[in-house]
Amino acid sequence: MDLKQLKALITVAEVGSVTRAAELLHLVQPAVTRQIRTLEEELQVPLFERTRQGMRPTDAGTIMVERARRALNELERARAEVRPAPGAVTGIVTVGLLESTTDLLAEPLVTTLTRAHPGIDLRVITAYSGHLQQWLDDGDLDLSLLYNMDSTPSLNTRPLVRERLWVVAPASEGLRTHEPVPFSKAAARPLVLPASGHSLRVLIDAAAARADAGMNVAAQTNSMRVQKQLVQAGHGWTVLPGVGVADDIRDGTLSAAPLTEPDVWRSIVLATPRSGRTPPAVEAVAHELVQQIRSAVAEGRWLTAEFLGTEAD
């Protein structure tokens, strides 16, 4: 098994065609076919099904593609770390951002790191907390923001932010940022909510139980963007962290207010794997991410948030 075979395996799986893979790898088609066949002979299992629609990975092929991609990524990281310019911080860093924080943090983080550490190859992944935690555990992320999370056997966590959840409505409803809305009032409306099992939905369900309020769930989705679109279209109200609707409030496309009776809070942490050394590039990204969060809270750009980090952060 060699690197050329692994690259061929990944490329064929991605494009579904030996011919197209050969073009991308700048090889002749028989060479790519031979690399795949040799790998299958070594492993003694078929890695692809040859169908009319193209090359489709078998179950064994899917496992190999996933592992091969990680192996090549690790080699790419090592190459970047062992050949830095004098005094430079270099390497590949993959950071996870919660979907609700993307508009606030992604661009400033990339801009600052490009200027301060041009040798860092930064890769930004956005998703909900549950997905980010799984990718962090699997080794696909180097660090990530998560919420309502304590340290685990596999992860270290640093508390960074505590923020309130807001009720969000169409602009015509005229909710005001300085006038909190009782949960029972929000629950009386049709609600567009995260799907059951989502971490944010767990917080909302717990608040409903404390308020002894039944909820009329009009729609469920795993996308914050869809939640806001459905609210704008008049399908109901929703509940989101304030940071996720700050731009919509400013633009007048939605109205929103903090929830009360009960107040509903979520805490955001910075999580990193416990195992292995932390490369300097990862430390640099973590430091800058914390500074961006500190500034956003201090300047009021992160609505109803409290910074929980220390002076040393």
Side-chain angles (χ1 to χ4, degrees):
M1 189 180 302
D2 60 34
L3 296 182
K4 292 180 180 179
Q5 291 172 330
L6 298 183
K7 289 179 180 178
L9 171 71
I10 294 169
T11 306
V12 172
E14 288 177 346
V15 302
S17 164
V18 171
T19 301
R20 178 61 179 147
E23 293 174 356
L24 294 173
L25 294 169
H26 304 291
L27 298 171
V28 295
Q29 180 176 335
V32 175
T33 300
R34 183 169 58 254
Q35 288 169 344
I36 298 297
R37 185 181 299 117
T38 301
L39 196 53
E40 290 178 324
E41 290 172 354
E42 178 179 345
L43 296 171
Q44 297 184 354
V45 292
L47 298 176
F48 289 95
E49 296 176 5
R50 283 71 173 172
T51 71
R52 292 182 179 179
Q53 289 73 39
M55 301 282 281
R56 185 173 63 186
T58 62
D59 290 344
T62 299
I63 293 171
M64 280 301 300
V65 168
E66 178 182 342
R67 300 297 184 184
R69 186 177 284 115
R70 289 182 186 170
L72 293 181
N73 283 342
E74 285 302 311
L75 288 172
E76 190 176 353
R77 290 172 187 270
R79 187 178 293 112
E81 288 181 29
V82 301
R83 295 193 305 185
V89 177
T90 64
I92 300 167
V93 179
T94 305
V95 58
L97 297 181
L98 295 162
E99 185 183 8
S100 57
T101 68
T102 302
D103 289 346
L104 184 66
L105 298 176
E107 187 277 327
L109 180 65
V110 171
T111 298
T112 301
L113 285 168
T114 299
R115 181 178 62 251
H117 300 290
I120 293 178
D121 181 355
L122 183 65
R123 302 174 183 185
V124 179
I125 306 296
T126 66
Y128 285 117
S129 186
H131 293 140
L132 294 172
Q133 182 183 347
Q134 183 62 56
W135 296 335
L136 197 58
D137 282 333
D138 290 345
D140 295 324
L141 297 176
D142 296 298
L143 69 162
S144 182
L145 297 182
L146 304 175
Y147 68 83
N148 287 24
M149 176 87 185
D150 295 322
S151 293
T152 70
S154 62
L155 299 176
N156 285 317
T157 61
R158 296 161 53 189
L160 292 181
V161 171
R162 181 174 179 259
E163 65 170 335
R164 290 180 74 171
L165 296 189
W166 289 45
V167 60
V168 182
S172 59
E173 294 286 351
L175 298 184
R176 299 179 182 274
T177 58
H178 59 282
E179 296 178 1
V181 171
F183 192 97
S184 58
K185 179 179 178 179
R189 301 295 186 112
L191 293 175
V192 178
L193 296 180
S196 296
H198 185 283
S199 299
L200 189 61
R201 179 64 181 273
V202 172
L203 291 177
I204 296 168
D205 288 345
R210 280 185 284 157
D212 193 23
M215 294 189 293
N216 175 16
V217 182
Q220 301 183 59
T221 175
N222 65 349
S223 167
M224 185 182 73
R225 179 170 172 268
V226 173
Q227 278 180 259
K228 294 193 289 186
Q229 285 179 332
L230 292 177
V231 170
Q232 283 183 277
H235 292 281
W237 292 13
T238 192
V239 176
L240 287 168
V243 68
V245 292
D247 289 344
D248 305 279
I249 296 170
R250 185 182 62 248
D251 296 342
T253 56
L254 293 170
S255 64
L259 275 171
T260 190
E261 299 177 22
D263 296 352
V264 189
W265 295 81
R266 74 169 182 175
S267 58
I268 293 179
V269 303
L270 178 63
T272 53
R274 283 186 184 273
S275 59
R277 60 180 285 273
T278 302
V282 174
E283 293 180 347
V285 173
H287 174 78
E288 187 52 46
L289 179 56
V290 172
Q291 296 312 307
Q292 292 293 335
I293 291 172
R294 182 200 296 273
S295 296
V297 174
E299 295 167 9
R301 292 181 287 115
W302 195 316
L303 300 179
T304 55
E306 302 172 1
F307 184 71
L308 303 178
T310 65
E311 290 300 321
D313 285 328

